[in-house]
Amino acid sequence: MRGFLGKRIDACVAKRIFAQDPDLLVAPFRQRAERGCWQTEFWGKWALSAAAAWEYTGNAESRARLLASARDLLATQSPNGYIGNYAEDSHLAGWDIWGRKYTLLGLLRLFDMSGDRSLLDGAKRLTAHLQTEVGSGKADIVTQGLYRGMAASSILEPMVLLFRHTGDQAHIQFAEYIVGRWSSERGPQLIEKALAGVPVAQRFPRPKKWFSWENGGKAYEMMSCYVGLLELFRETGRAPYLEAALRAHQNIHETEINLAGSGSAEECWYGGRALQTTPAHNSMETCVTMTWMQFGAQLLRLTGDPCFADDIEASVYNALAGAMTPDGSSFGQYSGLEGQREPGVPQCGMQLNCCQANGPRGLMLLPAVAVMHSGEGPWVNLYEQGEYPLVLPSGQPATLSMVTTYPFSGAVSLRVHLKAPERFTLRLRIPQWSAQTALTVNGSVVQGVKPGSYAAVDRRWNSGDGLELKMDFRMRLIRSPGNGTARFVAVQRGPLTLARDLRLGQSGIDNAVSLTSAGDGTLPAKVLPLIDGIGMNFAVPESRAGEIRLCAYASAGNSWKADSRFRVWMPEA
Ligand SMILES: [Zn+2]
């Protein structure tokens, strides 16, 4: 990937993922005195992003360092199997099980990458020890830690992945035990409330204390449970698991996700979609952005419904790209739709916070999401300059190249390179926002291309065959949701949400505007020359000031100082 996303991935891999000293992440595991913090999530999160970065780059030195850190981590494993940093009398409290989850995920991912059995054995012993502490007749998983047991319960995901490797019924039974406890009186009711359509922000009474067991609206932990539930669906085929996850995702999309493709305030769901024109404290946690993308990627793989790819696209081009510092070395913890970008603070005596550890995982999801495969052929989800390896239905390897300046322009040239001609179906995602789309194959028009679907081109492909895709990049005027008396407008172009930014030379970025759209909601606009540090920017006619200037939300505020204060929603005159 060599365009807008690829450049960000390269910067993040070089300056954040591979720049990490793994010893700092393993060090806490040598202490056994913790009672409330989450130092033990950081090695696993880093290992997941570093494994993906290694697969993407093939960098041998990084692979060796990653596997060496896993051996250092395993050296901290107790004879009874425990890996963590909690004091013996505080096991299961706070973030202990959550930390074990990330350790398991990291060990299993590195086992997949290396085939080193000691990693799988370490994961099995860690799980066997957990099963001596948690389960029927022992500690109840949903009463452990915070957020109605959702943090602890999200260990469901690696439990299913472990079963996939071992085939050991004890592992799948433990996974089913966790899901069974969700439905208990004290459980988070993740299946029942989703099936009943209860909005995610209204599932439980407002907690007296945010940092507590009774807080049932914590966004990242809730979605992490659904990610695990979808893995369990893959093993069991139990339809309510998929249905509950689909309805939860839809509810989050409809009630929480804002114009930048993220949501949450104080890391919790709060009905944020309808409230997004009002600033909220600590909104759009980067962990929420990443997990929303991960949740969508799971559903995209299971259903082939392009609405999930549309959601991922909105998150990555806006919320996630905007949260990353321009040099790739860090991610902000919270982002808003207006204000000034701020770095997060280090947590638990580490030099990192949860979001700096998760932002890279969001970017590293993209190579796998961009082009997916089914038995019928490839599915193109993201449009990005680059070369994509394909495996065709016959097993023949091939390459798909994309030439484009997306998301600056909506024109993409795709070309298939393969040794022997082969018939297969190539699917291209037509974004929901692209009202008018043109597609040709070797110059012939493809009919029936609809927004919010995949255009399926089924033919015998020869090497060098090409497609030209032209998406609708007219500016779109967006009116504020909700029933408030104050009205706001915002502007989008292609996958990008746009923003005003003080650096565009207009002091009155908070002034009311009057924008006149055509009947189909599109706005006339001028594309202006790129500006250093901001990149693409546009002028839109405005009836009072003559015009207003807008840039991508992803670059708005990216001096991370007051000089680049920005806003997405503009008061309407
Ligand atoms: Zn976070």
Side-chain angles (χ1 to χ4, degrees):
M1 297 168 79
R2 299 208 172 87
F4 181 98
L5 301 177
K7 289 192 177 100
R8 282 164 176 79
I9 290 174
D10 290 348
C12 177
V13 167
K15 295 287 176 62
R16 172 84 286 277
I17 301 174
F18 288 168
Q20 175 65 46
D21 177 355
D23 290 344
L24 297 176
L25 307 181
V26 174
F29 289 88
R30 300 194 182 101
Q31 313 294 326
R32 294 289 169 83
E34 186 54 55
R35 298 190 189 276
C37 253
W38 55 94
Q39 296 92 341
T40 53
E41 72 170 35
F42 292 104
W43 179 81
K45 285 183 174 179
W46 172 75
L48 292 167
S49 63
W54 172 73
E55 275 178 359
Y56 182 70
T57 63
N59 180 312
E61 187 197 330
S62 73
R63 180 180 192 272
R65 238 158 48 95
L66 178 54
L67 293 173
S69 81
R71 283 191 289 276
D72 289 347
L73 181 82
L74 281 181
T76 72
Q77 188 161 31
S78 297
N80 67 8
Y82 180 65
I83 305 178
N85 70 338
Y86 271 62
E88 189 75 35
D89 61 1
S90 288
H91 271 209
L92 311 180
W95 298 91
D96 185 27
I97 302 177
W98 173 262
R100 299 188 215 184
K101 169 185 88 165
Y102 280 109
T103 297
L104 279 174
L105 285 170
L107 290 174
L108 292 171
R109 183 73 163 85
L110 300 195
F111 171 65
D112 287 339
M113 185 179 128
S114 67
D116 179 345
R117 305 278 319 175
S118 70
L119 300 169
L120 181 62
D121 289 343
K124 280 159 64 177
R125 292 176 56 222
L126 176 54
T127 301
H129 172 254
L130 178 68
Q131 288 170 318
T132 67
E133 296 183 325
V134 174
S136 299
K138 299 161 212 158
D140 181 353
I141 189 121
V142 296
T143 62
Q144 307 306 313
L146 300 156
Y147 316 123
R148 287 197 163 255
M150 292 191 294
S153 291
S154 66
I155 201 164
L156 175 63
E157 182 193 2
M159 213 47 63
V160 181
L161 300 182
L162 181 62
F163 169 75
R164 209 164 281 158
H165 287 299
T166 63
D168 183 341
Q169 286 303 315
H171 296 143
I172 204 77
Q173 282 161 9
F174 193 72
E176 292 280 18
Y177 153 78
I178 294 171
V179 173
R181 294 311 296 160
W182 288 356
S183 302
S184 66
E185 198 186 330
R186 303 201 75 198
Q189 314 279 330
L190 290 161
I191 294 174
E192 295 76 5
K193 297 214 177 203
L195 293 177
V198 181
V200 284
Q202 294 169 26
R203 289 184 174 188
F204 293 97
R206 191 180 169 84
K208 288 189 194 71
K209 223 178 123 195
W210 181 91
F211 205 77
S212 68
W213 176 84
E214 61 162 354
N215 182 350
K218 187 76 160 54
Y220 167 24
E221 285 75 0
M222 184 191 287
M223 290 191 288
S224 298
C225 287
Y226 286 115
V227 167
L229 188 65
L230 289 170
E231 290 294 355
L232 186 59
F233 169 75
R234 286 197 171 89
E235 294 306 318
T236 63
R238 287 190 211 282
Y241 295 173
L242 175 62
E243 190 58 29
L246 282 166
R247 291 205 198 175
H249 190 281
Q250 186 182 356
N251 185 261
I252 293 167
H253 176 94
E254 288 172 356
T255 65
E256 298 288 348
I257 298 300
N258 64 26
L259 228 48
S262 184
S264 73
E266 304 291 10
E267 308 181 4
C268 294
W269 298 130
Y270 72 115
R273 184 181 137 76
L275 301 171
Q276 63 183 293
T277 56
T278 306
H281 193 242
N282 285 348
S283 60
M284 294 166 60
E285 188 197 9
T286 298
C287 292
V288 172
T289 307
M290 192 292 290
T291 316
W292 172 241
M293 291 171 60
Q294 190 187 29
F295 189 10
Q298 285 275 11
L299 287 169
L300 177 62
R301 282 172 56 206
L302 281 162
T303 66
D305 185 331
C307 75
F308 301 112
D310 280 357
D311 280 340
I312 292 169
E313 177 178 72
S315 304
V316 67
Y317 282 104
N318 300 295
L320 190 69
M324 190 175 105
T325 56
D327 69 352
S329 65
S330 190
F331 283 80
Q333 194 171 358
Y334 306 108
S335 305
L337 295 180
E338 65 175 273
Q340 179 185 335
R341 295 200 183 275
E342 306 238 19
V345 291
Q347 293 171 338
C348 309
M350 306 290 283
Q351 294 166 19
L352 283 170
N353 63 49
C354 51
C355 293
Q356 285 168 306
N358 264 337
R361 295 178 61 207
L363 279 181
M364 297 318 301
L365 265 180
L366 301 177
V369 166
V371 180
M372 289 182 170
H373 291 82
S374 77
E376 297 169 0
W379 301 54
V380 179
N381 292 309
L382 299 177
Y383 297 105
E384 162 84 358
Q385 171 88 18
E387 278 91 51
Y388 300 83
L390 305 179
V391 180
L392 301 178
S394 69
Q396 177 181 197
T399 307
L400 177 72
S401 66
M402 287 192 231
V403 176
T404 180
T405 60
Y406 195 89
F408 184 64
S409 121
V412 188
S413 296
L414 302 101
R415 205 162 285 281
V416 178
H417 307 277
L418 69 177
K419 280 214 171 68
E422 181 171 337
R423 182 173 175 175
F424 60 88
T425 304
L426 180 65
R427 285 180 173 80
L428 305 181
R429 180 180 63 95
I430 309 301
Q432 185 69 54
W433 47 256
S434 183
Q436 297 175 4
T437 309
L439 177 63
T440 62
V441 179
N442 293 344
S444 306
V445 173
V446 176
Q447 302 290 347
V449 174
K450 289 194 200 72
S453 71
Y454 286 98
V457 184
D458 176 16
R459 67 195 298 275
R460 185 178 158 87
W461 295 89
N462 292 296
S463 200
D465 282 352
L467 303 107
E468 300 292 330
L469 175 65
K470 215 158 180 243
M471 285 168 273
D472 191 343
F473 261 48
R474 292 175 298 167
M475 295 263 182
R476 307 187 297 279
L477 181 69
I478 312 294
R479 296 196 179 278
S480 54
N483 302 317
T485 46
R487 302 300 304 175
F488 292 83
V489 289
V491 179
Q492 293 185 315
R493 180 179 189 263
L496 300 176
T497 290
L498 305 185
R500 301 191 76 176
D501 182 311
L502 281 180
R503 293 170 301 172
L504 294 174
Q506 295 173 310
S507 56
I509 67 166
D510 304 309
N511 291 349
V513 298
S514 175
L515 304 178
T516 307
S517 63
D520 59 2
T522 59
L523 289 167
K526 268 190 304 208
V527 177
L528 301 174
L530 302 181
I531 300 174
D532 275 354
I534 300 179
M536 59 189 110
N537 68 111
F538 314 92
V540 178
E542 198 276 328
S543 63
R544 297 168 163 207
E547 65 176 33
I548 57 165
R549 291 180 64 190
L550 299 164
C551 65
Y553 175 80
S555 57
N558 70 356
S559 73
W560 295 68
K561 291 188 298 216
D563 70 335
S564 66
R565 191 169 67 80
F566 64 94
R567 68 180 304 139
V568 167
W569 289 108
M570 300 170 273
E572 190 172 23

